[in-house]
Amino acid sequence: MTVFKMIDDVDLADRFRTRLTRGDKFLIANLNASREAEDKYTVVNCGGYGRVRAFRDYKLYLETVAFPDCPPRPNFRGYPPSAIVRSQVFQLSACNWRCWYCFVDDDRLSAAPRTSTYLSAHELLDLYMAEADCPDIIDLSGGQPDLVPEWTLAVVEECGRRGLLKQIHFWVDDNLSNDFLFRYLSRDQLSRLAGVPTLSRMGCFKGFDEESFTFTTLAPAERFQGQFELAGKIIDAGFRFYGYVTFTTPTTTQLEMRMRQFVDRLQAVHERLPLVTTPLAIKRFSAMIPRLDDDRARSLNHQILAFLIWHEELKRRFPSEYPRLRPDQISLSR
Ligand code: SF4
């Protein structure tokens, strides 16, 4: 078994934050000549600073992988349901966790100036609008975009200045690793963001218990519980919130009990949080291949087993809603 060095994710978050902004500019990853660009779903645009993601078959959902003959249950996140959904993704160039399965190249997770450029929201929107047929969803991703939550605010405000606020949907990703959203935005800025009707936030739970969390992120185990606390704060702040979860685990012992406890923890945040949480299928992305060892490769098989237990647990707890309803048909209003 390979022993990996744990990271100090709090220190990393602070250090990356200082390197991610220059005045009104934010460090954006350039995807040209990256391993990520070799993945077939990656369609690079905006001079390398963006990519278009098309959602058609939802094979990134464990449910679709486990039940290939059933119609997928997409999460449209407030976007009008349609057969193909396209999003314009921009990636902030750092993350304070080190998930081995991450599809992003290490240097695009490390605020490295060689593979990133400082761009203002104005410059980013210029690049976006110069594209023919640009998608009407802007996905602010990373890396961990919440290392500088000011980025989301700047992009939304720039869209407002251009009169685009009603026609663009904003998808904001978050690994639920830090509370910078609440630390660095004022109460007024927070409520302005939460009040944008087309904005949704996606928090990704990394693993379903402390063991799978640390195995995945190399961050201290206590940060696992922190994800739930942060999700609760985001929901309480009035954001439209959805969850992803990844089920890569090094061991399968007592899987039923561990999954039950995970669903309990979600429900302690909000009774219906499991219904808006989608288990993701981890695939062999190009950037991940050099990071694989035997345990990690084996965990790719464990995720299906874990999903089947999750599926039975949700059917038992929500017999009239799961799996009949899509996550975006569920309300978390208190
Ligand atoms: S939290 Fe997300 S962006 Fe960060 S390393 Fe993990 S998968 Fe990659």
Side-chain angles (χ1 to χ4, degrees):
M1 181 180 186
T2 319
V3 179
F4 294 95
K5 191 169 176 285
M6 299 290 287
I7 54 170
D8 181 345
D9 62 330
V10 171
D11 178 58
L12 270 182
D14 288 336
R15 282 196 290 127
F16 283 150
R17 181 174 160 80
T18 61
R19 283 158 51 184
L20 282 167
T21 54
R22 291 287 179 273
D24 67 347
K25 301 192 179 205
F26 304 91
L27 196 59
I28 308 300
N30 189 309
L31 304 180
N32 286 331
S34 64
R35 283 180 179 271
E36 183 182 351
E38 294 167 16
D39 290 327
K40 73 171 189 301
Y41 69 84
T42 305
V43 179
V44 176
N45 71 350
C46 295
Y49 295 103
R51 63 184 167 94
V52 173
R53 184 74 206 269
F55 297 85
R56 288 187 185 84
D57 53 19
Y58 296 91
K59 284 186 182 159
L60 78 169
Y61 291 180
L62 275 172
E63 185 175 309
T64 317
V65 176
F67 306 120
D69 298 330
C70 298
R73 280 191 318 123
N75 181 355
F76 294 110
R77 296 173 67 168
Y79 192 79
S82 64
I84 301 176
V85 175
R86 294 167 68 246
S87 68
Q88 172 66 54
V89 185
F90 295 113
Q91 295 179 200
L92 193 72
S93 193
C95 182
N96 52 322
W97 284 349
R98 280 294 171 270
C99 307
W100 56 267
Y101 59 55
C102 187
F103 56 82
V104 182
D105 299 53
D106 291 342
D107 54 4
R108 272 87 173 172
L109 295 170
S110 307
R114 197 172 51 81
T115 50
S116 316
T117 299
Y118 290 102
L119 294 171
S120 66
H122 183 87
E123 289 166 325
L124 218 47
L125 263 287
D126 279 352
L127 286 171
Y128 163 74
M129 294 182 76
E131 290 289 325
D133 192 25
C134 49
D136 54 359
I137 298 170
I138 293 182
D139 183 350
L140 299 177
S141 189
Q144 156 63 327
D146 264 9
L147 289 173
V148 276
E150 297 92 332
W151 183 42
T152 302
L153 188 68
V155 171
V156 168
E157 287 183 338
E158 180 62 26
C159 287
R161 276 190 287 276
R162 297 181 188 218
L164 299 172
L165 220 40
K166 288 204 175 122
Q167 60 203 74
I168 293 183
H169 286 248
F170 301 94
W171 290 2
V172 184
D173 298 333
D174 180 5
N175 65 6
L176 301 172
S177 65
N178 63 57
D179 65 351
F180 288 3
L181 180 65
F182 299 94
R183 227 192 287 175
Y184 292 109
L185 294 191
S186 68
R187 199 173 292 193
D188 175 56
Q189 289 171 326
L190 263 181
S191 68
R192 281 205 327 262
L193 273 186
V196 175
T198 54
L199 186 145
S200 69
R201 295 184 54 94
M202 177 64 79
C204 186
F205 295 92
K206 304 291 176 187
F208 56 95
D209 63 1
E210 279 77 0
E211 180 191 60
S212 54
F213 170 81
T214 301
F215 170 74
T216 295
T217 60
L218 298 180
E222 60 267 29
R223 223 70 79 220
F224 180 67
Q225 177 58 27
Q227 295 192 286
F228 298 89
E229 286 154 19
L230 196 58
K233 271 183 94 168
I234 293 169
I235 294 167
D236 287 343
F239 285 96
R240 185 202 291 251
F241 179 85
Y242 300 103
Y244 282 143
V245 58
T246 59
F247 284 160
T248 43
T249 170
T251 64
T252 55
T253 48
Q254 298 188 302
L255 210 44
E256 283 87 356
M257 185 197 71
R258 291 159 64 196
M259 192 57 77
R260 268 201 308 279
Q261 288 175 346
F262 174 59
V263 182
D264 287 345
R265 284 168 115 161
L266 289 175
Q267 289 199 272
V269 176
H270 192 291
E271 190 64 25
R272 296 157 74 75
L273 185 53
L275 287 169
V276 302
T277 302
T278 301
L280 282 183
I282 300 301
K283 311 263 169 124
R284 288 176 184 256
F285 304 113
S286 301
M288 170 228 280
I289 303 297
R291 308 183 195 120
L292 273 179
D293 70 351
D294 288 349
D295 285 332
R296 291 171 170 180
R298 232 185 332 269
S299 77
L300 295 175
N301 301 329
H302 296 164
Q303 55 181 341
I304 295 284
L305 188 58
F307 169 76
L308 292 174
I309 296 168
W310 157 273
H311 178 70
E312 290 305 316
E313 192 60 29
L314 259 65
K315 278 203 307 189
R316 194 176 66 75
R317 296 193 193 204
F318 303 100
S320 61
E321 292 159 300
Y322 182 87
R324 190 174 60 84
L325 298 177
R326 298 189 311 264
D328 55 313
Q329 293 172 309
I330 305 287
S331 166
L332 293 188
S333 55
R334 303 263 189 197

